[in-house]
Amino acid sequence: MTRPPLSPRPDLADLEPYVSPQRPARWRMNTNESPYPPPPGLVDELSEQIAALALNRYPDKDARGLYRALAGYADWAADGLWAANGSNEVLMHLFLAYGGQTRTVLTFEPTYSLHSLIPRVAGTRIRNLWRDEDYVIDLEAALEEIDRSAPDIVVVCSPNNPTGNCEPLSTVRALLGAAPGIVVVDEAYGEFADPDESVRPLLAEHRNLVLVKTFSKAWRLAGARLGYMLADPALVDGMARVRLPYHLSTLTQAVGQLALRYSDETLGMVESITKQRGRLSVELQAMGIKTFPSRANFVLFHTDDADTVFNRLLERDVLVRNYSSNPALRGCLRVTAGLPEETDAFLEAMRWILDES
Ligand SMILES: Cc1ncc(COP(=O)(O)O)c(C=O)c1O
């Protein structure tokens, strides 16, 4: 291959692009999406609306209708809201506006890989601390690190992906008290946990808290690409500097508003999904497999030979996520909870694998 006319930025030369390995499989239990399509009423209304949308015109750049609806749903002032194309883009805007070369972010590994990748792309310095053996944040170590490196941004994922555990609110409170800058809490999976595990009530008393949410998981709209954050209006004010004009398409704005109108019906499937999460954990444990307690729509489990189990599951048309190359997740696989028949197929395949070995 000839040399390209220009190489990527030197600080990105050894950056691994994000990949979530995809393979053809009937049972797709690898990316924590919802197996349930959006409610039929939402889809019907959207189809009707599409004909009337002025797609020849640029969208409302401030997405006012969507912001009004979100503000009502989240019970938070519209000027303290920021929406973008998925929570990943919310995080990208946040790091472009508040990260960068003179700033440091603190993350707690193992966690969602984009929590390091996005700051890196935005040129931010990164400090990673390891979680303890139960995958919770070691608060003492975190406070020491905050004291030592004064990170401008601390990122907490709760429930944490891929481990599934929620961070105690006392930990988040302590981080908020010690951090010199902001603490970002990513609650992408918050709807699958109990409401009292959410940091939402802390927002009113902590100006340095940023809560990030997504429509991609419990809201059954991963394909629509919509996420948002709740924060102090002064912080939200800085975000407009880095967004591209008209970043939220007319279609995205329409879907978001409809989703909020159909919230009860949409989120009605959460209970059924958490039931499958329970089944996955209990049945895996009954097979003698270690599982990690989950508050999300997935279960992390440990096997002696994760690569073999991953491949044998694929032979049975079941695709899960393999984390075994991560030193903190050796032997670990993650399976998404969804339809009862997906659980059946996965458990049946696991029993077959164990019988064979
Ligand atoms: C913790 C966490 N945050 C954010 C996201 C990304 O969500 P979105 O589809 O809103 O960009 C994911 C997706 O897997 C996730 O696991």
Side-chain angles (χ1 to χ4, degrees), residues 18 31-32 85-89 91 112 115 157 159 161 186 188-189 213-217 222 225-227:
Y18 176 79
T31 45
N32 302 339
N85 295 288
S87 53
N88 282 337
E89 193 182 55
L91 291 169
Y112 180 47
H115 288 168
C157 193
N161 178 12
D186 183 341
Y189 300 97
K213 302 281 305 171
T214 182
F215 281 78
S216 296
K217 310 296 176 183
R225 309 305 300 129
L226 185 62

Side-chain angles (χ1 to χ4, degrees), residues 68-353:
R68 256 195 312 277
L70 264 178
Y73 179 79
D75 193 19
W76 192 246
D79 61 357
L81 272 170
W82 186 260
N85 295 288
S87 53
N88 282 337
E89 193 182 55
V90 172
L91 291 169
M92 180 62 95
H93 288 163
L94 193 68
F95 278 95
L96 287 173
Y98 292 101
Q101 285 160 12
T102 61
R103 300 274 168 93
T104 303
V105 61
L106 174 61
T107 69
F108 303 98
E109 296 289 343
T111 192
Y112 180 47
S113 62
L114 272 284
H115 288 168
S116 288
L117 192 139
I118 290 170
R120 178 103 194 260
V121 170
T124 316
R125 288 190 298 253
I126 299 169
R127 290 284 305 132
N128 292 138
L129 282 187
W130 292 105
R131 291 161 180 268
D132 73 10
E133 65 280 5
D134 295 324
Y135 296 128
V136 289
I137 292 174
D138 177 343
L139 183 58
E140 206 178 312
L143 294 178
E144 266 172 34
E145 183 58 34
I146 290 174
D147 209 29
R148 189 165 41 237
S149 62
D152 304 280
I153 303 175
V154 178
V155 184
V156 175
C157 193
S158 183
N160 187 44
N161 178 12
T163 58
N165 56 301
C166 275
E167 220 50 63
L169 291 191
S170 53
T171 296
V172 179
R173 270 205 197 89
L175 295 173
L176 284 163
I182 55 172
V183 176
V184 179
V185 181
D186 183 341
E187 289 190 359
Y189 300 97
E191 289 83 358
F192 301 106
D194 289 338
D196 64 6
E197 291 172 288
S198 170
V199 302
R200 173 66 184 81
L202 306 185
L203 266 175
E205 25 165 327
H206 294 278
R207 291 194 62 193
N208 59 339
L209 173 60
V210 176
L211 171 56
V212 179
K213 302 281 305 171
T214 182
F215 281 78
S216 296
K217 310 296 176 183
W219 288 82
R220 299 149 64 173
L221 283 169
R225 309 305 300 129
L226 185 62
Y228 64 100
M229 72 177 208
L230 309 182
D232 188 282
L235 195 93
V236 169
D237 204 41
M239 304 281 276
R241 290 161 206 242
V242 298
R243 75 164 175 205
L244 295 173
Y246 312 112
H247 72 297
L248 284 173
S249 80
T250 304
L251 286 165
T252 309
Q253 295 183 32
V255 179
Q257 287 173 78
L258 274 176
L260 291 162
R261 277 217 278 115
Y262 280 86
S263 59
D264 286 349
E265 209 176 316
T266 304
L267 298 176
M269 291 323 291
V270 164
E271 201 181 322
S272 157
I273 291 170
T274 53
K275 217 163 159 185
Q276 297 311 310
R277 172 183 77 195
R279 261 188 82 203
L280 286 166
S281 299
V282 167
E283 296 292 333
L284 282 170
Q285 286 163 24
M287 294 177 210
I289 291 173
K290 178 175 169 58
T291 64
F292 295 87
S294 174
R295 312 298 298 141
N297 64 340
F298 54 80
V299 176
L300 186 76
F301 62 99
H302 181 273
T303 65
D304 291 336
D305 185 355
D307 290 342
T308 303
V309 172
F310 175 83
N311 288 323
R312 311 240 43 203
L313 281 169
L314 253 188
E315 283 170 32
R316 302 292 295 230
D317 240 0
V318 178
L319 180 61
V320 297
R321 184 80 188 260
N322 187 354
Y323 281 96
S324 57
S325 63
N326 182 324
L329 295 167
R330 289 250 186 273
C332 287
L333 299 170
R334 187 196 68 193
V335 58
T336 303
L339 303 169
E341 50 270 38
E342 288 177 319
T343 310
D344 295 342
F346 167 78
L347 291 173
E348 204 180 297
M350 285 300 294
R351 282 189 203 104
W352 172 75
I353 293 165

